[in-house]
Amino acid sequence: MRSPTDPAADADADTTLRAAEATAHRLAGELFPWDLTRALELALLKTFCVPSISGLLARTGEFEQRPRKRYDDTGLMVAELLRHGLDSPAGAAVIERMNRIHGHYAIGNDDFLYVLSTFVAEPIRWLARYGWRPLTPLEQEHLFLFWRGVGERMGIAALPPSLADLLALNERVEREAFAPAATNRRIADATLAMLLADWPAALRPALRRGLLGLLDRQTCAALGWSTAPDWLQALVLQALRARSRAAALVAGGRARLGRPAPARFYSQQPTPSYGATFRLEQLGPPPLLANLALPAPPALAKQEGQPPSRQPMAAPFQSPHFALVRTEDGWILEARVTKDLEGDWLLSRHELEELHGLLERVIAS
């Protein structure tokens, strides 16, 4: 049995990740580009069912004020990771930018874990139900390894060690943490309006009903939406399966003619927010763009042999969201909390109590 520090073990792990990246690239860019985009849209809606996630999104204002940019930014960064790989120059730059954006908000580790789990669980479920074929066990495992690699580079703690554990976490959160909340409905409504905006107005009511046919009763209840009747869910199922069969026939015909489909990543297509091309420095909430353009702080800089990660703040007095650092002239207060569009802190009651307790500790010292 090899030691965990054995270079051969590291080489095996690296080889496995490279294989997982190649599989994820092929799934997203060649085999199922349309299906995976739809699956990740569904994953996005499901994250709004967790009040702590929708509450944070509502406080930032991004999904309600700029839903199209927020959607495109997420889609472009995800596509670049799938297209180029995690440790490529392009992939590493995306990871660093995501970490810098997330570092401006007080995001709980449990919320990070659930969002990450949806990037694995929803494509698996979507293709099993609507695709021209389901993912193979190896493809599912590689998809898990790819997104676990993303989670490691984001500094997410307590990552599930196996695909089964990740899917169990996903199901547990949906069973225990999905709950109705006003912010769930607000963010979901804004996102749905954005998704339908590109279609003719006369078609939008029917398309909205069709989307509801994709959602289970638990998701609809958490979002404050009505559940689609059984006949509509059956109709949506048959329509999407027919589309998948047609896509498979087209792909098979191209293969027989020696004309495989070109890669079709989201980042290779024009977007409403940026047109035909985009630059990574354009991605992120507008109020943060100037700050994101500054050199990365040491905690986010990629060190030799280590992926970038969200490092905890080091200080004599600290709590989950705050730290007080003593200087010759006084004290510096550092905070990892949600900010509004003007950069002001938005503190929950829990965060206020946390800050109060920290200040009491400093005063008593």
Side-chain angles (χ1 to χ4, degrees), residues 1 43 63-64 67 138 150 227 265 358:
M1 181 175 179
F63 260 103
E64 292 178 284
L138 181 60
V150 173
T227 305
F265 291 96
L358 181 63

Side-chain angles (χ1 to χ4, degrees), residues 300-339:
L300 291 173
K302 185 173 180 180
Q303 301 177 10
E304 186 70 26
Q306 295 180 342
S309 62
R310 297 178 296 107
Q311 299 294 334
M313 295 179 291
F317 296 93
Q318 59 184 7
S319 63
H321 298 108
F322 303 96
L324 277 162
V325 182
R326 183 68 180 266
T327 70
E328 292 182 359
D329 300 322
W331 294 85
I332 295 175
L333 175 61
E334 300 177 353
R336 281 185 171 168
V337 296
T338 301
K339 298 178 182 178

Side-chain angles (χ1 to χ4, degrees), residues 168-363:
L169 179 149
N170 179 272
E171 293 174 1
R172 182 174 66 255
V173 171
E174 295 186 359
R175 183 174 61 251
E176 298 176 0
F178 276 24
T183 52
N184 296 5
R185 178 70 181 264
R186 282 169 47 197
I187 302 302
D189 283 348
T191 303
L192 180 58
M194 178 273 297
L195 291 173
L196 297 177
D198 294 336
W199 294 86
L203 296 178
R204 291 173 196 169
L207 290 171
R208 185 184 189 281
R209 288 193 292 271
L211 175 64
L212 292 178
L214 299 172
L215 304 179
D216 58 66
R217 187 178 305 276
Q218 179 178 245
T219 300
C220 287
L223 295 178
W225 291 350
S226 59
T227 305
D230 292 342
W231 67 265
L232 180 56
Q233 294 189 30
L235 181 62
V236 170
L237 175 63
Q238 293 306 316
L240 288 175
R241 285 182 175 174
R243 191 218 68 87
S244 294
R245 287 193 293 270
L249 289 174
V250 171
R254 291 181 63 95
R256 286 191 294 273
L257 294 173
R259 297 168 54 193
R264 292 174 290 162
F265 291 96
Y266 191 75
S267 55
Q268 293 178 302
Q269 305 168 22
T271 60
S273 299
Y274 306 106
T277 60
F278 73 97
R279 301 187 312 276
L280 185 61
E281 56 266 28
Q282 294 175 290
L283 309 187
L288 301 182
L289 291 181
N291 182 269
L292 294 172
L294 298 174
L300 291 173
K302 185 173 180 180
Q303 301 177 10
E304 186 70 26
Q306 295 180 342
S309 62
R310 297 178 296 107
Q311 299 294 334
M313 295 179 291
F317 296 93
Q318 59 184 7
S319 63
H321 298 108
F322 303 96
L324 277 162
V325 182
R326 183 68 180 266
T327 70
E328 292 182 359
D329 300 322
W331 294 85
I332 295 175
L333 175 61
E334 300 177 353
R336 281 185 171 168
V337 296
T338 301
K339 298 178 182 178
D340 64 15
L341 299 179
E342 296 179 356
D344 296 324
W345 292 359
L346 291 171
L347 301 183
S348 66
R349 181 181 179 85
H350 171 77
E351 289 163 347
L352 281 172
E353 292 172 348
E354 178 187 321
L355 178 59
H356 180 263
L358 181 63
L359 292 172
E360 284 189 330
R361 286 167 48 200
V362 173
I363 292 170

Side-chain angles (χ1 to χ4, degrees), residues 125-190:
R125 293 171 183 157
W126 179 280
L127 289 166
R129 185 169 175 79
Y130 305 116
W132 55 270
R133 69 165 174 84
L135 294 180
T136 67
L138 181 60
E139 288 171 337
Q140 294 183 31
E141 180 67 18
H142 279 180
L143 194 64
F144 160 71
L145 292 174
F146 176 89
W147 286 108
R148 188 179 69 177
V150 173
E152 290 170 348
R153 287 154 180 78
M154 290 176 63
I156 300 176
L159 288 166
S162 70
L163 172 62
D165 289 327
L166 185 79
L167 296 178
L169 179 149
N170 179 272
E171 293 174 1
R172 182 174 66 255
V173 171
E174 295 186 359
R175 183 174 61 251
E176 298 176 0
F178 276 24
T183 52
N184 296 5
R185 178 70 181 264
R186 282 169 47 197
I187 302 302
D189 283 348

